[in-house]
Amino acid sequence: MFGRPYLAPPGVPAEPIRILRAAFAATMQDKDFLADAERTRIDVVPSSGEKVQQLVEQLYATPRTIVERSKDLIKP
């Protein structure tokens, strides 16, 4: 899911976010962009800003106990 997300800091007004998301979505459908991606063998698997935001919100809502347990499990 998180190939190369583009993120904005908290507090950015809704209108600039809407504009950026629309521009990103248009780019992901642009024939020249897609042709360049194919030529350079770059996989383009877009996800909507809304979907990425939802995933980030879910990650940040992870209970602290699970976060701490996960830290313990991945310690070297």
Side-chain angles (χ1 to χ4, degrees), residues 18-35 44 46-49:
R18 185 194 66 73
I19 291 168
L20 288 168
R21 286 178 176 174
F24 184 82
T27 300
M28 295 300 106
Q29 296 178 356
D30 182 81
K31 291 177 185 170
D32 291 333
F33 169 77
L34 293 172
V44 176
S47 186
S48 72

Side-chain angles (χ1 to χ4, degrees), residues 1 3-4 14-15 18 26-27 35-36 42 45 49 56-57 65:
M1 172 67 193
R4 294 177 189 229
E15 183 60 10
R18 185 194 66 73
T27 300
D36 281 345
I42 296 173
V45 184
V56 169
E57 288 171 356
T65 55

Side-chain angles (χ1 to χ4, degrees), residues 30-71:
D30 182 81
K31 291 177 185 170
D32 291 333
F33 169 77
L34 293 172
D36 281 345
E38 185 176 336
R39 182 180 52 78
T40 57
R41 298 180 185 186
I42 296 173
D43 291 330
V44 176
V45 184
S47 186
S48 72
E50 293 81 7
K51 188 172 183 176
V52 173
Q53 181 177 353
Q54 182 181 42
L55 180 59
V56 169
E57 288 171 356
Q58 288 174 349
L59 289 171
Y60 272 87
T62 303
R64 188 83 176 144
T65 55
I66 293 174
V67 172
E68 293 303 320
R69 177 74 176 127
S70 298
K71 284 180 179 179

